[in-house]
Structure formats: structure tokens, C-alpha cells
Amino acid sequence: MFFGLEGLADLLGRSMTPTVHIEQGANKEYMICFHELESFEHFNVDVDTEAELLRIHAQNADRTLYTDRASKLPCGVNRPELITAQKVNGRVVVTVPFEAQGPKKVLDQPALIAGDKPKALKVHVTPAPAGRFEIKHENGVLHLFVNGLSAKDLVVELDGKVLKIAGKTAEGDFPIVRHCKLRRRVLSPSTITAKVEPDGKICISVPDSALEHEHKLIKESIKVEH
């Protein structure tokens, strides 16, 4: 969570569940990466070796906005003094080198224990944000997928090398406009197609043959005659 009235605009532009991911490097070191920390300058990194928990407290430059993050460590820690942390392009990366690692003290509990009586819970799948672009190029065709738009009143226009997709969200309550610049000029616009996929995405297909040929630059030495 983010706190502080002056950080409201920053909060609105970020996810409510900032991402944390863990990866293991070539030397068996673990790297715990905390994302979405671009606006913060002051950091306190705390390692709880007993609970095997990593905590970060971050504040912005004038200390009017702060956030707290936490992550379970992927391993036990025998030498916490070897753990390092650094800020990299808005992320905080905490590295636990192999030499600092030890056996886990807090053992993971099994998912199900004999005698448990599970209760079914409803699972809600959050759809991708409306207007999100996906681009794929396969078999000589460029496919542009746009998520969350209603097929009703959808407009696809071509202006030079720019494709414009305009419509409303699937619920019909919010206008969405997206632009995509093609690599080359379109010579055969009639071969470009747009359709609604079974999953509801809008797919615009641009064959390579619809675009002008790519001109290759020729580099050659010219002999000078005397």
C-alpha cells in the first residue's frame, strides 16, 4: 500500500498489488525483486532470519509518501551480513548469495492434510485491461489483438502507416482509441482484415504482401578512375 495525501496521483497510476518476483542466478544466488518503487528515495531493508521474511520500507524524497513491502525468503539464511540490496530503474533487488544460504527453518505446510474438509471457493479471473495491445507476426502476417472492446460501433481506419482502432469497452461505457504504426506504407489496404476472435479480442491482420517492399540499402565502394 501507498500512504500520504501527496502520493494520491502516484497511487492512482499504480497497481494495488505491486509485483514481487524471485529468480535464481547462475551462481545459485537468489534475487528478490520488488517492482513499482520509482518514486521512492529512502529505503530500509530488513531481514528476519527467524521468520525467514524480507521487509522493505520506502519513503519518497520529502517523506510524505511511503510504502511497505514483504516477501518470504526462498531459503534459510545463515549469514545475513552477506545479503545486499540495490535500486535498479525503479526496482529494488535484494540478493541472497549462495554463501549466505542455509536450510529453511520455517517448513512449508502441506496443501492438504488427512482429515481436512475443504470448502469450495469461487475463483474470479481478472480480465486484461480494455485496450491492451498484443502483437504477433507469424506465417507472413502481422496480427494485432486488442482486448476488451465491443464489436458494436468498432472503427478500424488506416492513415498512411498508422492503424487506428476506436470503440468502446465491452460494457459500452468507456471510449477506447489505440494507434499502431506499421513498419512500411500500405499498398493493398483491401487485404487487411478485422474480426472478433472467440475469446472476444479484436484481431486486425496485416499481410506482409499488403506492405511496400522493404528497400535494402546497398553499401559498395566505387572505384575512382584517374
Side-chain angles (χ1 to χ4, degrees), residues 7 20 24 36 51 55-56 71-73 80 85 89 92 99-101 111 128 130 132 138 146 165 194-195 214 216 224:
V20 178
Q24 192 170 29
E36 299 186 17
R55 300 185 183 91
I56 288 183
S71 173
K72 289 289 292 182
L73 288 168
N89 296 329
V92 169
E99 295 76 13
Q101 300 171 23
R132 173 176 289 179
E138 54 187 8
V146 188
I165 301 98
K195 65 178 182 178
E214 186 173 5
K216 294 183 179 179
V224 179

Side-chain angles (χ1 to χ4, degrees), residues 53-180:
L53 190 65
L54 175 64
R55 300 185 183 91
I56 288 183
H57 178 79
Q59 295 182 339
N60 65 347
D62 57 5
R63 302 184 187 277
T64 57
L65 173 68
Y66 71 89
T67 182
D68 292 299
R69 309 283 179 82
S71 173
K72 289 289 292 182
L73 288 168
C75 60
V77 175
N78 283 339
R79 300 184 62 188
E81 70 276 7
L82 298 180
I83 295 176
T84 60
Q86 54 187 335
K87 185 180 180 184
V88 185
N89 296 329
R91 307 182 304 276
V92 169
V93 180
V94 180
T95 301
V96 184
F98 179 72
E99 295 76 13
Q101 300 171 23
K104 287 182 71 66
K105 299 176 183 178
V106 181
L107 300 179
D108 294 329
Q109 296 295 321
L112 295 175
I113 303 175
D116 281 347
K117 297 180 179 180
K119 178 182 177 182
L121 300 175
K122 184 177 180 180
V123 178
H124 175 72
V125 179
T126 302
R132 173 176 289 179
F133 250 129
E134 296 177 40
I135 300 177
K136 294 182 181 179
H137 188 275
E138 54 187 8
N139 300 323
V141 181
L142 178 71
H143 299 287
L144 295 89
F145 299 93
V146 188
N147 184 76
L149 296 188
S150 171
K152 183 180 179 182
D153 300 325
L154 183 70
V155 175
V156 180
E157 297 177 336
L158 176 66
D159 184 1
K161 294 193 293 184
V162 178
L163 276 173
K164 175 184 176 183
I165 301 98
K168 292 186 177 181
T169 56
E171 295 77 16
D173 57 354
F174 192 77
I176 298 286
V177 178
R178 292 290 180 266
H179 296 86
C180 178

Side-chain angles (χ1 to χ4, degrees), residues 195-211:
K195 65 178 182 178
V196 181
E197 295 286 290
D199 60 2
K201 293 180 181 178
I202 309 299
C203 176
I204 297 101
S205 300
V206 183
D208 290 348
S209 58
L211 306 178

